[in-house]
Amino acid sequence: MPEKEDPKNKKKWYILDGSHVQLLIVLIVAILFYVGLNHFSVVTVRINQFMGVLSPFIVGFAIAYLLNTPMCFFERKLFPNHRFKRALSILLVYVLAFAVVAILLGLIVPQVVQSVKDLAGNMQTYLTSLDQLVQDLTEQFDLDADAINDMFGNFQNMISNMTAKAAEALPQLLDVGFAIGSGVIAGITALISSIYMLAGKDRLVPQLKKLLYATVSKRRSDWLLGVCGQANRVFVGFINGKIIDSAIIGVLCFILCAIFQIPYPMLVSVTVGVTNVIPFFGPIIGAIPCLFILVIVDPWAALRFFALVIGLQQFDGNILGPKILGDSTGLSAIWVLISIVTCGGLFGFPGMILGVPTFAVLYALVREWVNKRLKAKKIDGNGKPLEEQPQTPPDKE
């Protein structure tokens, strides 16, 4: 008879549990980090290629993220009990988005393009008038004519070169074939991916949660989901509020430019409104090129615009911004400044916009960790022992 196999000698097969998966992930990350340091230039090229392939999906995610809030509103208020409420909400939100974009482009783009053309065509006339004004001021206040002429000559040469380059680039920017060849396919891909993301978010989010709970312990999974929920609230509140705030500032700027007779009001207002999306530095970044243009066209209009921008900045910073945004970030001014400078230097314009909410989430996590550590050590922020809470006496029978 064949001998029975001893269960103790039977080969055992182990299944990876959560701790093994975490160890494997750490090992892979360490290997990739070492390889990346030794082949940094090659890795940079590959990352840029990879990000270029993913860019339509990143843009699609941004579109879906912006439209998710109004889509959820339509689901709750307009189609709460409808069988196809998700499809109808997606259709409605995209129709409204396309309508708003078409109206804005139809109203703004032609006037902005015409303003740029007029500015480029009349640049020599504006420079001549500015030259005459400088000469009059030099004679009236007895200034150093040679130094001013040298400075003004360099200024004229710089403006002439910029105007020539802008005139050469304008036909390419307005060429339909150039636009179709460069970005339409990526735009269509981003649009389609955003629709799929909105339609399938109820399946995608549970799948990600399932993967997270399968690979990480329940305590850490709950903590990560809480962090993601907090980050989502901060980003949604900040981005939506900042878009509304910038749109209002742009409209107010256009109205005030028309009242104070500032040249090229549409061009100036669009510049101020778009750059106002950037916290803290936005009004300054938008005002500098506008002042640069207005000094050439009409120096006195530039002074009026400077006073107008100061008033708008104060109104936005003290009244409109806090009313719309509230305390969505919880950051003081110094941390806002640090986040904009750091993220803007690393990631450019998107970093300047998204740096503040990202830093707000990191700031909240660090604050939570510090408070827990202080509580565990039973001291406060000044290093003093925490006062014991007085115990309430038991109720007398």
Side-chain angles (χ1 to χ4, degrees), residues 342-360:
T342 304
C343 297
L346 293 174
F347 306 106
F349 185 78
M352 299 182 74
I353 298 175
L354 301 178
V356 173
T358 303
F359 198 86

Side-chain angles (χ1 to χ4, degrees), residues 96-107:
L96 291 178
F98 277 120
V100 170
V101 172
I103 292 172
L104 291 177
L105 292 179
L107 292 175

